[in-house]
């Protein structure tokens, strides 16, 4: 390519940059002229102009100033007194205090296919006033909508048992997700708490019946175990008493035979002394 030949794309980019520079120069000149005119108005209307140029923000507030629609360089103004130029400056006040809001009850289908209603509360505050005004239209409303969707998404991956027993871990998970998502908006999510988990009435009755049956079963097992323990102790004591007198066992046999014959049974029992069996075993 010869030195005289030119690149069309490069020429187009140079032309666009030149037009942008021309527009920027024209806008800068227009803004400077309006600023000078505003100062002249302030001077000629002094001291009445003080009521329009002096503004005050509280300790917990910051003011983001726009001049002719453009953000003024530097951090947000405040706290205390700051000045604006009439007609060309506008400002928006941002509250830096911690704000809380309730997440409306959300109908959620848990991992084990149980429909529940869960509500929560979210605490957040603005970390960067300038970003919260310029990067999002309404940071509070956007945070509320994001909290609702995040609550549904996180709890949808948990079973009913995990939701009821592991609320603290779930709250930390939701808080970290919200904090990461709202960071480009200049918002810091400080805390999320799951307030209440509402179960369907039929499910509540079924769970109550299951818990009652489980308690009854455990109670019966405990009572049966205590009865067996007491009976074994009584039998051991009786065996110790009978072991002291061998004839007592024969008397017990006769008493048992008398009790059976009283019921008119046809079964005949012949008690056999244990001493005879002992003699046979020795042989």
């Amino acid at each position: 390519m010869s030195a005289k030949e030119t690149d069309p794309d490069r020429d187009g980019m140079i032309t666009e940059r030149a037009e942008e520079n021309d527009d920027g120069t024209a806008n800068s000149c227009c803004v400077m002229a309006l600023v000078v005119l505003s100062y002249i108005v302030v001077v000629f209307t002094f001291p009445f102009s003080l009521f329009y140029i002096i503004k005050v923000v509280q300790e917990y507030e910051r003011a983001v100033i726009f001049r002719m629609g453009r953000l003024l360089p530097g951090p947000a103004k405040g706290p205390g007194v700051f000045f604006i130029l009439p007609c060309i400056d506008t400002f928006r006040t941002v509250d830096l205090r911690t704000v809380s809001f309730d997440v409306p009850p959300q109908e959620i289908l848990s991992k084990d296919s149980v429909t529940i209603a869960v509500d929560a509360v979210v605490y957040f505050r603005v970390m960067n006033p300038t970003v919260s005004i310029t990067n999002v239209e309404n940071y509070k409303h956007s945070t509320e909508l994001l909290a609702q969707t995040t609550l549904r998404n996180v709890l949808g991956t948990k079973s009913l048992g995990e939701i009821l027993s592991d609320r603290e871990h779930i709250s930390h998970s939701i808080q970290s997700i919200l904090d990461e998502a709202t960071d480009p908006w200049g918002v810091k999510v400080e805390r999320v708490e799951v307030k209440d988990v509402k179960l369907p009435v039929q499910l509540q009755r079924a769970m109550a019946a299951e818990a009652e049956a489980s308690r009854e079963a455990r109670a019966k097992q405990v009572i049966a175990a205590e009865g067996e323990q007491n009976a074994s102790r009584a039998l051991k004591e009786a065996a110790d008493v009978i072991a002291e007198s061998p004839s007592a066992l024969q008397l017990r046999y006769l008493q048992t035979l008398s009790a059976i014959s009283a019921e008119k049974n046809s079964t005949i029992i012949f008690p056999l002394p244990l001493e005879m069996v002992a003699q046979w075993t020795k042989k």
Side-chain angles (χ1 to χ4, degrees), residues 194-250:
V194 178
K195 293 174 58 179
D196 189 18
V197 179
K198 297 180 181 179
L199 303 177
V201 178
Q202 296 180 351
L203 181 60
Q204 293 180 12
R205 294 175 179 174
M207 294 178 65
E210 181 182 2
E212 183 178 359
S214 178
R215 286 194 297 268
E216 290 180 356
R218 287 196 300 268
K220 291 179 180 179
Q221 291 176 359
V222 170
I223 293 174
E226 291 178 354
E228 290 292 338
Q229 185 178 10
N230 295 333
S232 61
R233 289 177 179 175
L235 290 175
K236 181 179 181 300
E237 294 176 358
D240 294 338
V241 173
I242 293 175
E244 296 177 357
S245 177
S247 60
L249 184 60
Q250 282 299 113

